[in-house]
C-alpha cells in the first residue's frame, strides 16, 4: 500500500509565478508564421530561461510544422507549444509516494548552499505530518551554525523532532543516529538535511556519498528517495547542479524553489528537458504553505499567460 502526499491541487499559481513567457499576447489572433514572429518567440523563450537547446528544438518544430502546413497561423502555434511542453513535462509529473512498508522511509535532501533545502524540508515535513505521517528530521548540515537552529525552529513550529549534533560533527554520524532513532520510534518518514557547502565541491560530494553509505548500511533499501533542491533564480546554473548531484548521489526527485518573485519560470522546462526525474513540488514563498505539488497543466497555463 502506498500513500501519496500530492493530494491537493495547486491554486492560484498564476499570481505566484515570477517571470513567465507571455506567449498569449504574442500569439493571439491569426498572425502569419514568419521570421519576425519566430525571432520574437525565441527571445521570449531565452529571456524566461528556457535555455538555448530547448528553445532551438521548439523553434525547429514550429518551422517544420509551418513548412508542412500543419501549422498555419500564430493561434495554431500557441496550441502546438502548449501540447509540446505538456509532453515534455509528462515524465516529470510523478508525485512523491511514501511507501508504507519502509520504516522509516528515508528522504535524503541535497543541493548547493542557499537553494532552500532547509526551508523545503520544513514545509515538506509539515505537509507530511498533516497527512498523518510521523516524521523525524536530521540536521545533517553540520557545517554552518545557523543551519541546525533553522531546522530546529521548523521542527518546533510543526512539533516534529529533530536529531542534531554540535557544529563540526560528522554529518554521517548524525544520519546514523537519526536512522537508529527513527527505527526505534517506528517513525514513518525520516528527512535528512545536508550541507550545501564544504571546503571544496569534491569534499561536499564525498560527504554526501558517505551519508548515503551510512544510511544504506542500516537499511539496504534506503535512502528511498534522494531529493535535489534547485533554486529557480540561479537560471541555467541549476542544470550544472543537476548533473553533478545526479552523478554523485543518484537524484530521484526534484523540488524547484523560489518560483515566486523574480525567478524566470522557464527554467522548469530546461530542467525537464535535461532529466526525466520527477519534479515533486515547487516552492513559491517562504511560508509553510508555499510548497505546491507540481501540476504540469497549471504550470504551463501560468507560464504561457503570465
Ligand atoms: N521567495 C522564496 N524564498 C525561499 C523559498 N525557499 C527558500 N527560500 C529562502 O531562501 C533562503 C535560503 O533557504 P535555506 O532553506 O536556508 O537554503 P539551504 O541553504 O539550501 O538550506 C531563505 O531565506 C529562505 O527563506 C521559496 O520558495 N521562495
Ligand atoms: Mg540549510
Amino acid at each position: 500500500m502506498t500513500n501519496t502526499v500530492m493530494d491537493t491541487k495547486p491554486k492560484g499559481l498564476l499570481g505566484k509565478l515570477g517571470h513567465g513567457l507571455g506567449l498569449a499576447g504574442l500569439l493571439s489572433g491569426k498572425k502569419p508564421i514568419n521570421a519576425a514572429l519566430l525571432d520574437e518567440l525565441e527571445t521570449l523563450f531565452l529571456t524566461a530561461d528556457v535555455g538555448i537547446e530547448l528553445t532551438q528544438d521548439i523553434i525547429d518544430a514550429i518551422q517544420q510544422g509551418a513548412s508542412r502546413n500543419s501549422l498555419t497561423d500564430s493561434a495554431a502555434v500557441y496550441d502546438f507549444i502548449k501540447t509540446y511542453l505538456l509532453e515534455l513535462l509528462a515524465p516529470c509529473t510523478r508525485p512523491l509516494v511514501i511507501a508504507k512498508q519502509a520504516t522509516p522511509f528515508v528522504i535524503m535532501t541535497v543541493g548547493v548552499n542557499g537553494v532552500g533545502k532547509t526551508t523545503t524540508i520544513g514545509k515538506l515535513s509539515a505537509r507530511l505530518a498533516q497527512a498523518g505521517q510521523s516524521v523525524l528530521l536530521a540536521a545533517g548540515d553540520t557545517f554552518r551554525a545557523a543551519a541546525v537552529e533553522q531546522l530546529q525552529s521548523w521542527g518546533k513550529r510543526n512539533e516534529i523532532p529533530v536529531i542534531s549534533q554540535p557544529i563540526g560533527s560528522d554529518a554521517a554520524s548524525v544520519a546514523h543516529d537519526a536512522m537508529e532513532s527513527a527505527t526505534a520510534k517506528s517513525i514513518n518518514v525520516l528527512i535528512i538535511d545536508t550541507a550545501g557547502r564544504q571546503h571544496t565541491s569534491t569534499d561536499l560530494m564525498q560527504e554526501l556519498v558517505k551519508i548515503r553509505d551510512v544510511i544504506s548500511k542500516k537499511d539496504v533499501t534506503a535512502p528511498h528517495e534522494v531529493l535535489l533542491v534547485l533554486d529557480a533564480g540561479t537560471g541555467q546554473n541549476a542544470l550544472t547542479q543537476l548533473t553533478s548531484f545526479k552523478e554523485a548521489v543518484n537524484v530521484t526527485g526534484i523540488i524547484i524553489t523560489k518560483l515566486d518573485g523574480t525567478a524566470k519560470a522557464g527554467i522548469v522546462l530546461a530542467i525537464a528537458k535535461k532529466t526525466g526525474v520527477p519534479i515533486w513540488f515547487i516552492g513559491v514563498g517562504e511560508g509553510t504553505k508555499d510548497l505546491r505539488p507540481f501540476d504540469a497543466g497549471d504550470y504551463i497555463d501560468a507560464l504561457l499567460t503570465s
Side-chain angles (χ1 to χ4, degrees):
M1 261 235 322
T2 56
N3 180 13
T4 174
V5 287
M6 195 176 151
D7 47 1
T8 38
K9 240 182 116 49
K11 285 181 225 82
L13 189 59
L14 216 60
K16 279 281 192 180
L17 277 197
H19 187 118
L21 286 169
L23 285 192
L26 174 66
L27 298 175
S28 67
K30 295 201 173 263
K31 295 178 198 124
I33 303 169
N34 55 27
L37 186 84
L38 292 178
D39 270 0
E40 276 196 71
L41 264 180
E42 190 174 272
T43 307
L44 280 180
F45 280 124
L46 292 177
T47 312
D49 252 333
V50 170
I52 292 172
E53 212 181 309
L54 179 57
T55 299
Q56 204 53 57
D57 286 357
I58 298 169
I59 299 290
D60 286 352
I62 295 170
Q63 263 167 338
Q64 270 177 29
S67 64
R68 282 197 311 256
N69 279 329
S70 60
L71 290 176
T72 49
D73 59 34
S74 60
V77 170
Y78 184 87
D79 293 339
F80 174 80
I81 291 173
K82 194 167 171 174
T83 308
Y84 187 103
L85 296 181
L86 280 169
E87 272 172 28
L88 174 80
L89 289 177
C92 296
T93 48
R94 278 169 287 151
L96 167 63
V97 174
I98 307 292
K100 270 204 177 140
Q101 62 271 45
T103 46
F105 186 88
V106 183
I107 304 173
M108 177 175 164
T109 312
V110 301
V112 304
N113 208 30
V115 291
K117 286 182 299 303
T118 306
T119 308
T120 300
I121 291 170
K123 297 177 194 171
L124 180 60
S125 57
R127 173 180 278 269
L128 289 167
Q130 204 138 49
Q133 305 275 10
S134 59
V135 185
L136 179 69
L137 305 179
D141 183 354
T142 54
F143 196 77
R144 292 182 314 135
V148 175
E149 288 159 27
Q150 191 189 352
L151 195 69
Q152 281 166 338
S153 109
W154 273 101
K156 210 176 239 170
R157 204 176 313 165
N158 298 304
E159 292 174 29
I160 292 167
V162 178
I163 296 286
S164 67
Q165 285 180 18
I167 294 308
S169 304
D170 181 9
S173 155
V174 177
H176 177 268
D177 279 4
M179 285 294 289
E180 300 246 286
S181 174
T183 310
K185 292 177 186 147
S186 304
I187 293 282
N188 300 133
V189 190
L190 167 61
I191 310 180
I192 299 174
D193 196 5
T194 61
R197 193 179 41 155
Q198 286 291 328
H199 300 288
T200 69
S201 64
T202 318
D203 288 348
L204 173 60
M205 295 308 170
Q206 278 171 354
E207 173 167 292
L208 295 179
V209 170
K210 197 172 153 201
I211 293 171
R212 231 196 112 96
D213 289 348
V214 161
I215 298 167
S216 302
K217 222 169 184 173
K218 299 255 33 140
D219 173 359
V220 285
T221 67
H224 303 90
E225 302 288 2
V226 178
L227 160 64
L228 173 65
V229 180
L230 294 171
D231 173 349
T234 58
Q236 298 296 304
N237 223 331
L239 303 183
T240 319
Q241 293 166 21
L242 176 60
T243 307
S244 43
F245 282 99
K246 249 177 102 173
E247 254 174 43
V249 286
N250 185 31
V251 170
T252 61
I254 296 170
I255 294 182
I256 303 169
T257 61
K258 308 189 198 180
L259 272 164
D260 51 316
T262 58
K264 297 169 175 181
I267 190 63
V268 175
L269 300 173
I271 291 167
K273 157 93 184 158
K274 188 146 182 118
T275 177
V277 170
I279 300 168
W280 289 324
F281 295 94
I282 56 174
V284 290
E286 302 184 79
T288 311
K289 297 229 154 70
D290 295 326
L291 186 72
R292 309 280 180 87
F294 180 63
D295 180 304
D298 274 8
Y299 165 77
I300 294 295
D301 281 344
L303 183 77
L304 295 189
T305 52
S306 66

